[in-house]
């Protein structure tokens, strides 16, 4: 049974940085297509970035140049820099895509989420 466990959220001032990690139990991250999403209260879940097994990455326009997605055999990391209040929300890790995508329906496995608050 595949599970995604997330960590690294927290509260930070605008302009600050955070690193979010997602660890999978059940299979190697290296061979998986993974994504990161976020959801603010009252808003739809939106894609932040996604990375496939070959290392191809896509980012949402709103985070390009500020967020960096990477993965190795054991985890997916999302480095958040130059944070803005509008980046606040619950951040989710997801797996199971066939190609990097920013659409939630492209993913079949989801983590529990970790909260990011930027003030």
């Amino acid at each position: 049974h595949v599970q995604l466990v997330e960590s690294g959220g927290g509260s930070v001032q605008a302009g600050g940085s955070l690193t979010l990690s997602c660890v999978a139990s059940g299979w190697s991250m290296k061979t998986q297509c993974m994504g990161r999403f976020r959801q603010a209260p009252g808003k739809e879940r939106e894609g932040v970035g996604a990375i496939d097994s070959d290392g191809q990455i896509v980012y949402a326009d709103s985070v390009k140049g500020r967020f960096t997605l990477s993965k190795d055999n054991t985890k997916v990391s999302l480095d958040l820099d130059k944070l803005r209040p509008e980046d606040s929300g619950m951040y989710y890790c997801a797996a199971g895509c066939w190609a990097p995508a920013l659409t939630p329906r492209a993913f079949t496995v989801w983590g529990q989420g970790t909260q990011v608050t930027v003030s």
Side-chain angles (χ1 to χ4, degrees):
H1 179 63
V2 175
Q3 284 189 315
L4 300 176
V5 179
E6 306 180 54
S7 61
S11 296
V12 65
Q13 291 187 337
S17 302
L18 284 172
T19 295
L20 308 183
S21 295
C22 173
V23 178
S25 62
W27 33 249
S28 170
M29 286 280 194
K30 192 69 172 177
T31 61
Q32 295 296 320
C33 180
M34 306 291 299
R36 298 305 301 248
F37 290 78
R38 66 186 181 189
Q39 188 168 18
K43 294 188 177 181
E44 293 186 354
R45 190 168 298 189
E46 64 172 349
V48 173
I51 181 170
D52 68 7
S53 59
D54 294 326
Q56 181 182 358
I57 303 174
V58 296
Y59 292 104
D61 288 343
S62 60
V63 306
K64 284 181 181 177
R66 299 189 300 120
F67 291 9
T68 303
L69 189 63
S70 62
K71 72 180 177 77
D72 58 26
N73 285 343
T74 61
K75 68 180 183 297
V76 173
S77 298
L78 181 65
D79 293 318
L80 294 71
D81 294 319
K82 303 176 185 176
L83 282 162
R84 306 167 181 169
E86 55 264 39
D87 293 320
S88 297
M90 187 69 77
Y91 279 69
Y92 296 92
C93 179
C97 52
W98 288 97
L102 300 178
T103 304
R105 64 177 180 269
F107 296 82
T108 57
V109 182
W110 291 85
Q112 82 284 2
T114 185
Q115 180 68 37
V116 171
T117 303
V118 185
S119 59

